[in-house]
């Protein structure tokens, strides 16, 4: 049974990496600072079934092969829970577009990040904030055109449109949405087209960010 001594701390923190002396020491530090609500998951065992609402997933990117990273992204896209993804030990060559493809991405820590800064970043994310380097914030602003948004804040969405928007937030493809909602792929495309017009957004990424900001 999961417990939490401090409601301001993350519900549960998964350190997803390969077992090593370094990861064991980090695990001990995290347990000490987060009231033992921390567990290590082997990064090669791709399974999101144990994730619950409010969980934080801390991925050691130096431990993940490229294929494993893609498989985790795909698996998390199908998770129905409201978790938060954090990436640490990010190598310099890891492109911003690869970072923002991770579902529920909330925190970024490069290889030079120290332990104290990492822990403070985790606490920041657990409070509902984002922890991104300036370069990531700038990239998101550029991609999402957030500097001068023209989005509609209040929109009357149908039940079906809300369903599809929810699936978009989970990273589902058109085919996956069609299968989940028992409708044709063409119908999905029509709903998405209408959604974009209503929200005044240009793509799926903007639609997801609109939902995260305005949808209750």
């Amino acid at each position: 049974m999961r417990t939490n001594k401090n409601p301001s701390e993350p519900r549960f923190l998964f350190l997803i990496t390969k077992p090593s002396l370094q990861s064991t020491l980090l695990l001990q530090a995290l347990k000490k600072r987060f009231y033992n609500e921390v567990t290590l998951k082997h990064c090669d065992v791709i399974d999101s079934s144990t994730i619950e609402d409010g969980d934080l997933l801390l991925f050691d990117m130096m431990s993940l092969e490229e294929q494993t990273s893609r498989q985790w992204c795909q698996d998390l896209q199908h998770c129905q829970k409201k978790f938060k993804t954090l990436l640490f030990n990010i190598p310099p060559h890891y492109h911003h577009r690869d970072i923002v493809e991770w579902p529920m991405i909330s925190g970024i820590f490069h290889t030079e990040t120290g332990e104290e800064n990492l822990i403070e970043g985790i606490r920041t994310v657990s409070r509902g904030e984002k922890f991104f380097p300036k370069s990531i914030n700038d990239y998101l602003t550029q991609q999402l055109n957030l500097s001068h948004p023209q989005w509609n804040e209040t929109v009357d969405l149908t039940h079906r449109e809300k369903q599809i928007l929810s699936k978009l937030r989970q990273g589902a493809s058109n085919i996956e949405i069609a299968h989940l909602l028992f409708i044709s792929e063409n119908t999905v495309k029509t709903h998405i087209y209408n959604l974009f017009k209503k929200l005044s957004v240009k793509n799926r990424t903007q639609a997801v960010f609109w939902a995260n900001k305005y949808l209750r």
Side-chain angles (χ1 to χ4, degrees), residues 29-40:
L30 292 172
K31 283 186 174 182
K32 181 179 179 180
R33 302 293 286 273
F34 293 104
Y35 306 97
N36 292 321
E37 298 294 340
V38 186
T39 190
L40 188 147

Side-chain angles (χ1 to χ4, degrees), residues 156-205:
D156 185 19
L157 299 179
T158 67
H159 176 67
R160 180 65 82 189
E161 287 169 343
K162 289 179 180 179
Q163 284 182 315
I164 290 179
L165 189 54
S166 175
K167 301 306 178 186
L168 291 179
R169 294 173 83 177
Q170 295 166 16
S173 67
N174 288 357
I175 295 177
E176 290 169 335
I177 294 173
H179 289 165
L180 290 168
L181 300 182
F182 304 101
I183 56 179
S184 71
E185 187 178 358
N186 284 335
T187 301
V188 172
K189 290 179 180 178
T190 299
H191 281 304
I192 290 177
Y193 174 78
N194 292 333
L195 262 176
F196 287 1
K197 288 185 64 178
K198 281 188 176 182
L199 305 181
S200 295
V201 300
K202 297 179 179 179
N203 53 51
R204 298 165 81 97
T205 304

Side-chain angles (χ1 to χ4, degrees), residues 2 11 16 32 39 76 91 101-102 144 150 174 185 196 206 215:
R2 295 189 184 187
R11 177 183 176 87
I16 304 173
K32 181 179 179 180
T39 190
L76 292 175
E101 284 182 359
W102 282 83
L144 301 172
Q150 302 295 322
N174 288 357
E185 187 178 358
F196 287 1
Q206 289 186 351
L215 194 62

Side-chain angles (χ1 to χ4, degrees), residues 55-68:
D55 286 348
L56 270 61
L57 313 181
L58 181 62
F59 285 90
D60 180 1
M61 299 306 292
M62 295 295 286
S63 296
L64 270 67
E65 301 291 339
E66 183 177 349
Q67 178 63 26
T68 305

Side-chain angles (χ1 to χ4, degrees), residues 20-203:
S20 67
L21 176 60
Q22 181 182 19
S23 62
T24 299
L25 292 174
L26 177 58
L27 180 68
Q28 292 173 350
L30 292 172
K31 283 186 174 182
K32 181 179 179 180
R33 302 293 286 273
F34 293 104
Y35 306 97
N36 292 321
E37 298 294 340
V38 186
T39 190
L40 188 147
K41 289 174 68 73
H42 199 299
C43 59
D44 291 340
V45 180
I46 301 167
D47 179 17
S48 61
S49 62
T50 58
I51 296 173
E52 296 183 9
D53 288 336
D55 286 348
L56 270 61
L57 313 181
L58 181 62
F59 285 90
D60 180 1
M61 299 306 292
M62 295 295 286
S63 296
L64 270 67
E65 301 291 339
E66 183 177 349
Q67 178 63 26
T68 305
S69 178
R70 286 198 298 267
Q71 290 174 340
W72 265 111
C73 280
Q74 293 171 1
D75 189 64
L76 292 175
Q77 286 172 356
H78 298 286
C79 182
Q80 303 293 318
K81 302 299 183 178
K82 295 180 179 179
F83 56 90
K84 296 180 180 180
T85 301
L86 303 92
L87 310 180
F88 79 106
N89 274 343
I90 295 180
H93 64 269
Y94 201 68
H95 197 277
H96 290 350
R97 64 172 174 267
D98 298 317
I99 292 174
V100 298
E101 284 182 359
W102 282 83
M104 310 294 183
I105 187 69
S106 301
I108 299 297
F109 309 92
H110 291 291
T111 51
E112 65 272 16
T113 303
E115 182 180 294
E116 286 301 316
N117 286 337
L118 174 63
I119 290 174
E120 182 56 36
I122 294 171
R123 284 188 166 150
T124 297
V125 172
S126 72
R127 292 193 297 265
E129 304 174 40
K130 305 291 185 183
F131 195 91
F132 294 144
K134 184 178 182 301
S135 59
I136 294 293
N137 275 326
D138 291 346
Y139 179 80
L140 288 173
T141 298
Q142 180 184 22
Q143 292 297 307
L144 301 172
N145 193 25
L146 295 179
S147 56
H148 301 285
Q150 302 295 322
W151 300 352
N152 292 331
E153 297 185 17
T154 56
V155 180
D156 185 19
L157 299 179
T158 67
H159 176 67
R160 180 65 82 189
E161 287 169 343
K162 289 179 180 179
Q163 284 182 315
I164 290 179
L165 189 54
S166 175
K167 301 306 178 186
L168 291 179
R169 294 173 83 177
Q170 295 166 16
S173 67
N174 288 357
I175 295 177
E176 290 169 335
I177 294 173
H179 289 165
L180 290 168
L181 300 182
F182 304 101
I183 56 179
S184 71
E185 187 178 358
N186 284 335
T187 301
V188 172
K189 290 179 180 178
T190 299
H191 281 304
I192 290 177
Y193 174 78
N194 292 333
L195 262 176
F196 287 1
K197 288 185 64 178
K198 281 188 176 182
L199 305 181
S200 295
V201 300
K202 297 179 179 179
N203 53 51

